[in-house]
Amino acid sequence: MCQSKIIDFFHQKQGIFLFLIIFMICFSGTYKLSGQMANESYKIRKIVIDAGHGGRDPGTSGKKVKEKDVALAIALKLGKYIEENLEDVEVIYTRKTDVLIDLYKRGDIANKAHADLFISIHANSFPNPRISGTETYVMGLHTNDENFEVAKTENAVITFEEDYTTKYEGFDPNSTESYIIFSLLQNSSLEQSLDFAGLVQNQFKNRVNRIDRGVRQAGFIVLWKTTMPSVLIETGYLSNTREEVFLASETGQDYIASAIFRAFRDYKINIESKSNFSHMITEPSILFKVQISSSRKQLDLNSNLFKNYTQVQEFQVGKLYKYAVGSTDSYEEIVRLQSEVRKDIKGAFVIAIKDNEIIPLSEALNEINK
Ligand SMILES: [Zn+2]
């Protein structure tokens, strides 16, 4: 009974929107929680290197080379530099050969591995062949048409995938409306993503003599669901003859890979030297969530009951198992989520968590208003 109600609901547009909001709020909370666990001495241990495109998706092309090949060559070189020089870091590749990996799987690989950083490597193109240079993107809503075009082109690869409308919750890479969701994105690892992106662009400009087209923001599906700092690097324009020759050459690929390597090494040093400190003090002491269910029996988080929600969290309070979604230190934000969730589950309500325990809401509100 309850199940069919949920399924009906999910067929409505509203359901998709709700799902997205919950996803985003969960998303911002998850990183905080993992940060909390890592506060002792946070180390960068795993990096996922994602060579864009592959297989039947060539990406963009120059006169001679295809983006998928350039991206793979740089990704493999970058991985090798890290493996050879930073022994404490594990490198995970989304692909090491010429195969097509679905966009959502790329982020999934990073999430499942609990990676500390996700780097997606690409090459660009533009109708005007005079344009050249590098750009490093972080996730967000584009602020200009140029960035939007890059995101649209990169996202269009999902149309090579089977059943993409279902997999990406109706996301249409060419519709402006689809991108509005990115304006709601609350990515608490944005700051680290921006730090790393800045280091990459600096290296490109100062050490490899590339034209610096800056750190930018746009809605890339491949970065959408990663739960760690993530960037997408456009290593140059294959539509520019000189840049194509550079990117197609072994030397050019080496330069680009070593620049990204140095940026990564610096980022690692920065993060690890200030980790104790920053993770301790930026941690909110109270988090709000929306409780959606409670039960005497432990429920399966993958059950149909929770199918509208990603990242349902379980708490045990006495003999009861409680299930909640969302995670934010803003009361206003959680009340908004509560009203969205109530369209689906009428009895949903806000709870407050302190030191991993549920505390009375009034106590939490008193404390945050202090
Ligand atoms: Zn690409």
Side-chain angles (χ1 to χ4, degrees):
M1 194 58 192
C2 175
Q3 211 166 302
S4 69
K5 194 197 98 206
I6 292 177
I7 293 166
D8 281 351
F9 173 81
F10 198 57
H11 282 149
Q12 294 163 13
K13 263 191 178 164
Q14 222 173 21
I16 294 173
F17 190 63
L18 167 66
F19 175 84
L20 291 169
I21 292 187
I22 291 170
F23 172 77
M24 282 156 202
I25 296 179
C26 290
F27 183 21
S28 63
T30 314
Y31 188 73
K32 282 175 191 154
L33 287 178
S34 60
Q36 216 164 29
M37 285 183 276
N39 66 21
E40 277 304 305
S41 65
Y42 180 66
K43 295 252 185 288
I44 304 271
R45 294 192 189 284
K46 274 184 206 168
I47 178 172
V48 171
I49 303 176
D50 172 48
H53 313 276
R56 63 180 181 275
D57 166 26
T60 188
S61 298
K63 291 194 180 78
K64 294 202 172 97
V65 290
K66 297 186 182 92
E67 179 186 356
K68 64 173 184 176
D69 299 320
V70 170
L72 182 60
I74 295 171
L76 293 175
K77 283 179 192 290
L78 168 62
K80 198 157 168 264
Y81 281 126
I82 296 172
E83 283 158 350
E84 283 171 358
N85 295 288
L86 299 169
E87 281 175 358
D88 57 335
V89 177
E90 183 189 343
V91 180
I92 297 163
Y93 304 85
T94 55
R95 68 179 182 100
K96 287 182 98 171
T97 55
D98 185 18
V99 288
L100 178 63
I101 312 283
D102 289 355
L103 280 192
Y104 79 92
K105 276 195 192 146
R106 298 172 189 247
D108 222 34
I109 290 171
N111 292 347
K112 289 207 173 107
H114 300 287
D116 301 289
L117 184 66
F118 178 84
I119 303 179
S120 190
I121 296 175
H122 293 255
N124 220 334
S125 80
F126 196 71
N128 178 350
R130 300 219 309 254
I131 299 290
S132 67
T134 66
E135 294 148 21
T136 301
Y137 284 88
V138 301
M139 187 63 184
L141 186 67
H142 56 276
T143 47
N144 63 45
D145 288 347
E146 206 177 76
N147 297 357
F148 187 32
E149 284 307 315
V150 176
K152 273 203 285 198
T153 310
E154 295 293 7
N155 291 339
V157 308
I158 62 173
T159 57
F160 282 92
E161 299 174 16
E162 277 159 30
D163 202 18
Y164 75 90
T165 44
T166 320
K167 278 189 290 195
Y168 299 98
E169 302 142 28
F171 187 94
D172 174 358
N174 288 311
S175 130
T176 317
E177 286 82 57
S178 278
Y179 288 80
I180 291 169
I181 52 160
F182 296 128
S183 65
L184 293 165
L185 198 72
Q186 298 264 322
N187 184 347
S188 65
S189 50
L190 180 64
E191 204 181 313
Q192 284 102 321
S193 305
L194 285 168
D195 281 351
F196 178 65
L199 292 169
V200 171
Q201 284 301 121
N202 256 333
Q203 284 287 337
F204 283 157
K205 181 181 160 197
N206 298 325
R207 300 285 299 276
V208 197
N209 211 14
R210 310 318 296 157
I211 290 173
D212 176 15
R213 293 175 52 84
V215 171
R216 299 169 177 226
Q217 204 163 18
F220 291 94
I221 295 177
V222 71
L223 305 182
W224 182 8
K225 299 199 173 182
T226 57
T227 52
M228 71 289 307
S230 309
V231 301
L232 183 144
I233 304 174
E234 294 286 356
T235 54
Y237 282 76
L238 296 179
S239 46
N240 176 280
T241 311
R242 275 178 64 183
E243 204 147 65
E244 182 189 5
V245 170
F246 177 79
L247 287 171
S249 72
E250 188 85 24
T251 321
Q253 292 165 358
D254 264 330
Y255 277 134
I256 293 287
S258 58
I260 303 172
F261 164 73
R262 285 189 301 271
F264 173 63
R265 188 187 54 196
D266 293 349
Y267 172 78
K268 183 176 187 301
I269 292 168
N270 289 350
I271 290 270
E272 290 177 0
S273 62
K274 67 180 180 194
S275 70
N276 264 342
F277 192 70
S278 64
H279 280 281
M280 295 291 276
I281 56 169
T282 57
E283 225 40 75
S285 62
I286 289 178
L287 286 175
F288 296 105
K289 295 173 187 296
V290 174
Q291 184 172 321
I292 54 173
S293 177
S294 92
S295 164
R296 288 191 174 275
K297 270 199 299 189
Q298 194 168 16
L299 303 175
D300 178 1
L301 293 180
N302 295 316
S303 80
N304 257 332
L305 188 64
F306 299 134
K307 70 180 287 245
N308 285 350
Y309 305 93
T310 56
Q311 306 191 16
V312 175
Q313 299 132 43
E314 181 186 274
F315 296 87
Q316 209 179 344
V317 181
K319 286 182 177 166
L320 282 180
Y321 292 92
K322 300 191 173 195
Y323 297 87
V325 294
S327 188
T328 171
D329 55 1
S330 153
Y331 184 64
E332 213 171 58
E333 202 172 307
I334 207 68
V335 168
R336 210 163 56 220
L337 177 64
Q338 174 185 256
S339 61
E340 286 301 326
V341 174
R342 277 185 177 170
K343 292 175 190 165
D344 176 22
I345 300 171
K346 284 207 172 60
F349 58 93
V350 170
I351 55 171
I353 312 282
K354 189 182 177 183
D355 300 329
N356 278 325
E357 283 189 16
I358 299 177
I359 62 166
L361 194 57
S362 54
E363 195 183 303
L365 291 174
N366 268 338
E367 193 163 323
I368 60 166
N369 288 329
K370 256 185 219 161

